[in-house]
Amino acid sequence: MRLRPALTAPLLALAVAACAHAPAAAPAKALTTQEVIDASTPADWRPLDPANTLYLQLPSGMVVVELAPQFAPEHVANIQALARGHYFDGLSINRSQDNFVVQWGDPAGDEVVLRRPLGEARAALPAEFSRPAEGLAFNALPDPDGWAPQVGFAGGFAAARDPKAGKAWLTHCYGTVGAGRAAAPDSSNGSELYVVIGQSPRQLDLNITTVGRVVVGMERLSVLPRGSGPLGFYADAAQRVPILAARLATDVPEEARARIEVMRTDTATWDAYVESRRNRRDEWYVHPAGHVDVCNLSVPVRPIAAPKG
Amino acid sequence: MRLRPALTAPLLALAVAACAHAPAAAPAKALTTQEVIDASTPADWRPLDPANTLYLQLPSGMVVVELAPQFAPEHVANIQALARGHYFDGLSINRSQDNFVVQWGDPAGDEVVLRRPLGEARAALPAEFSRPAEGLAFNALPDPDGWAPQVGFAGGFAAARDPKAGKAWLTHCYGTVGAGRAAAPDSSNGSELYVVIGQSPRQLDLNITTVGRVVVGMERLSVLPRGSGPLGFYADAAQRVPILAARLATDVPEEARARIEVMRTDTATWDAYVESRRNRRDEWYVHPAGHVDVCNLSVPVRPIAAPKG
């Protein structure tokens, strides 16, 4: 009975003190993360908006990206135009840098004359490194963060907020998707995208435009062999991984769409989930951390049960 | 010239304000990380101690682990005994869980009667979740940390310290190696090891015995296909990755040892390096973070030039 469960219990049975944001109330019964999920109601979950859901079809299977128009409206609109124009089809993943990012787009890179035309999409966009904090529903974590005055979740995305500066932005966490740029802040247009595959590179926050996050399929990206060229670019073109197709969910027949839903991040159930990650009190743990980092909170995803009929 | 350098500059040319720990002094010229390294002297680097260096030979190549006897003396002594007894040879990597850990040891797991004998190593050890802070040279970061009262580096390892409790411990960062355990805190013996391959799971700090870190070869571990069984264990035995051999560097002929050295973490050069990661001021960055997380600081490693002769 020993050693095999090694380091296994932590993800199975996690204790929860519910009502994280109501410290004055008597603490509710400690629930495990699974119990939080089991006790959730349909209203605690949301479907992805098909217009803001991008499917990347790789040889290994599907990656589902949720786009964040509330943070980068111009970039998201451009990515939508690129997907509608089938821009990414037949392009490739060209970079895999250990503990940093996987990046895809036109392998022609700097060779401007060789680059695929953008079709209906725009070549130049403004930088969208942050948005006004005003008007953004933001469920702040009480936990301190070294990189930003405040962190939390907004519309299902890990995010940060600076009340003094009146700005909010997506935080670079595992699975965050951003738009690669050159030296000029406004040199991204969404045709070159990267995803974080390692320790949260929060130093990129406010330095680049983030456009969304991977909801399903990170394990198809994170295991790609690291590139041996500078910065993890594949030195050999044969190592590139083809993108078979990239489609918005709206452009896919309804019966072919991913049947998943994600936990909302603006509910009491969410707060209980967060607390179940902040203080793990199942028998395996001897020291509840009393803290959680915004990048250590993965938003739960689950399949939607097929309709009975 | 656009887009290919996308997100590339950050790792190439990073600005530095040296003298992080001497705020009263006039700021020195901003140096890039590369300039910090170029300006370093031989005394800023150290070789690995062969007695505390473990080579894992995988089919894909070598992984170099630096053991931390100053944090887990009993576990490290046991791992050394296991390696000397060739315990790991022919065992395997049995688990790869996305954004969490890769784990190796005896695939027999719970099947105690099938498990390989430990030889000269001990079956039972005390838990070594922390050590006394006293007597440990600790180069504290000024940067706040949400998980511990203080973080920094000790003997080349990312670590945390609680001055009130008088304890210190290794932090779970990308590349940190620990000893898997079951529910009982003292159920690890070093025969089952894991390495962090994702966002720093700091909730494990003070809950499990950490024994060292991967210095070279993380990219051989981090890309292993994720297991489809519970917790990322390989459901199919054929997916396991064999460990061809595990040897202490002392048990390898000197000419066959990895010729590498690592940056010391107790020098002014180290502090300048940290500052070059805290505030990146090369032309790519428009917003220096003003903060760095202990787990965002990789200790630089470089080959030792072959002796002239």
Side-chain angles (χ1 to χ4, degrees):
Chain A
M1 293 298 292
R2 291 180 62 248
L3 294 171
R4 185 49 174 279
L7 195 61
T8 56
L11 293 185
L12 279 182
L14 307 159
V16 165
C19 302
H21 291 183
K29 177 184 168 293
L31 298 176
T32 65
T33 294
Q34 190 58 53
E35 286 170 336
V36 171
I37 290 172
D38 290 346
S40 67
T41 69
D44 292 319
W45 299 80
R46 65 180 173 92
L48 298 181
D49 175 357
N52 292 315
T53 302
L54 183 68
Y55 298 147
L56 280 187
Q57 193 67 43
L58 304 180
S60 60
M62 181 103 98
V63 173
V64 179
V65 177
E66 181 176 24
L67 300 169
Q70 63 275 50
F71 283 92
E74 305 233 35
H75 279 74
V76 167
N78 226 38
I79 291 166
Q80 290 164 331
L82 290 165
R84 280 194 299 266
H86 298 188
Y87 171 80
F88 291 104
D89 299 16
L91 294 182
S92 51
I93 297 173
N94 306 309
R95 178 185 186 192
S96 172
Q97 183 173 358
D98 199 54
N99 194 20
F100 195 40
V101 296
V102 157
Q103 188 168 325
W104 63 93
D106 191 334
D110 293 351
E111 302 299 326
V112 176
V113 294
L114 299 178
R115 288 183 64 88
R116 183 176 288 195
L118 297 177
E120 302 291 311
R122 294 157 64 194
L125 298 178
E128 296 179 290
F129 299 169
S130 66
R131 54 152 285 159
E134 204 179 326
L136 181 72
F138 190 91
N139 187 2
L141 289 169
D143 310 84
D145 181 80
W147 305 87
Q150 207 171 49
V151 289
F153 283 77
F157 292 87
R161 191 165 65 167
D162 183 340
K164 268 192 207 166
K167 293 193 296 190
W169 59 95
L170 295 182
T171 50
H172 277 84
C173 298
Y174 191 84
T176 297
V177 176
R181 69 163 172 92
D186 61 355
S187 58
S188 62
N189 60 25
S191 66
E192 182 91 15
L193 297 170
Y194 65 88
V195 59
V196 172
I197 60 161
Q199 168 69 12
S200 46
R202 297 282 304 280
Q203 72 279 3
L204 297 176
D205 290 3
L206 294 173
N207 279 294
I208 197 161
T209 300
T210 43
V211 300
R213 67 187 181 98
V214 171
V215 176
V216 170
M218 269 305 294
E219 74 285 359
R220 303 189 198 288
L221 298 163
S222 58
V223 302
L224 294 177
R226 308 314 184 209
S228 59
L231 306 167
F233 279 94
Y234 290 123
D236 177 357
Q239 297 175 295
R240 294 173 189 153
V241 177
I243 296 169
L244 305 179
R247 291 287 180 280
L248 295 171
T250 37
D251 295 335
V252 166
E254 202 167 332
E255 62 275 16
R257 294 180 194 163
R259 293 189 56 78
I260 53 171
E261 58 185 0
V262 298
M263 189 180 274
R264 288 175 54 174
T265 58
D266 58 353
T267 64
T269 293
W270 169 258
D271 293 341
Y273 167 78
V274 170
E275 176 57 22
S276 80
R277 312 308 284 173
R278 180 185 293 119
N279 284 306
R280 310 205 188 189
R281 293 193 181 102
D282 75 300
E283 66 168 314
W284 190 90
Y285 279 89
V286 297
H287 173 80
H291 175 78
V292 69
D293 188 282
V294 67
C295 287
N296 285 79
L297 291 166
S298 315
V299 179
V301 181
R302 67 179 185 183
I304 298 176
K308 294 173 187 175
Chain B
M1 293 300 291
R2 290 180 62 246
L3 295 170
R4 184 50 175 278
L7 195 62
T8 58
L11 292 184
L12 279 181
L14 307 158
V16 164
C19 301
H21 291 183
K29 176 184 171 294
L31 297 177
T32 66
T33 295
Q34 191 58 53
E35 287 169 338
V36 171
I37 290 172
D38 290 347
S40 67
T41 70
D44 292 319
W45 299 80
R46 64 181 174 91
L48 298 181
D49 175 357
N52 292 315
T53 302
L54 183 68
Y55 299 147
L56 280 187
Q57 194 66 44
L58 304 180
S60 60
M62 180 104 97
V63 173
V64 179
V65 177
E66 182 176 23
L67 299 169
Q70 63 277 48
F71 284 91
E74 306 233 34
H75 279 74
V76 167
N78 226 39
I79 292 166
Q80 289 163 332
L82 290 166
R84 280 194 299 266
H86 297 189
Y87 170 80
F88 291 103
D89 299 15
L91 293 182
S92 50
I93 297 173
N94 306 308
R95 179 185 185 191
S96 172
Q97 183 172 359
D98 199 55
N99 193 21
F100 195 40
V101 297
V102 157
Q103 189 168 325
W104 62 93
D106 191 334
D110 293 350
E111 302 298 326
V112 176
V113 295
L114 299 179
R115 288 182 63 87
R116 183 176 289 194
L118 297 177
E120 303 291 311
R122 294 158 64 194
L125 297 178
E128 298 180 289
F129 299 170
S130 67
R131 55 152 285 160
E134 203 179 324
L136 181 72
F138 190 92
N139 188 2
L141 291 169
D143 310 83
D145 181 79
W147 304 88
Q150 206 171 50
V151 289
F153 283 77
F157 292 87
R161 191 165 65 166
D162 183 341
K164 268 192 207 166
K167 294 193 296 190
W169 58 94
L170 295 182
T171 49
H172 277 82
C173 297
Y174 190 85
T176 297
V177 176
R181 70 164 172 93
D186 61 354
S187 59
S188 63
N189 61 26
S191 66
E192 182 91 15
L193 297 171
Y194 65 87
V195 60
V196 172
I197 60 162
Q199 168 69 12
S200 47
R202 297 281 305 280
Q203 73 278 2
L204 297 177
D205 289 5
L206 294 172
N207 279 294
I208 197 161
T209 300
T210 43
V211 300
R213 67 187 181 99
V214 171
V215 175
V216 171
M218 268 306 294
E219 73 286 358
R220 304 188 198 287
L221 298 164
S222 58
V223 302
L224 295 177
R226 308 315 183 208
S228 59
L231 305 167
F233 279 95
Y234 290 123
D236 177 357
Q239 297 175 294
R240 294 173 188 150
V241 177
I243 296 170
L244 305 179
R247 292 287 180 281
L248 294 171
T250 38
D251 294 337
V252 165
E254 203 167 333
E255 63 275 15
R257 296 180 193 163
R259 293 190 57 78
I260 53 171
E261 58 186 358
V262 298
M263 190 181 275
R264 288 176 54 174
T265 58
D266 58 352
T267 64
T269 292
W270 169 258
D271 294 341
Y273 167 77
V274 170
E275 176 57 20
S276 80
R277 311 308 284 172
R278 179 185 294 119
N279 286 305
R280 310 205 188 188
R281 294 194 181 101
D282 74 301
E283 65 167 316
W284 191 90
Y285 280 89
V286 297
H287 173 81
H291 175 79
V292 69
D293 188 283
V294 67
C295 288
N296 286 78
L297 290 165
S298 316
V299 179
V301 180
R302 67 179 187 185
I304 298 176
K308 293 174 187 176

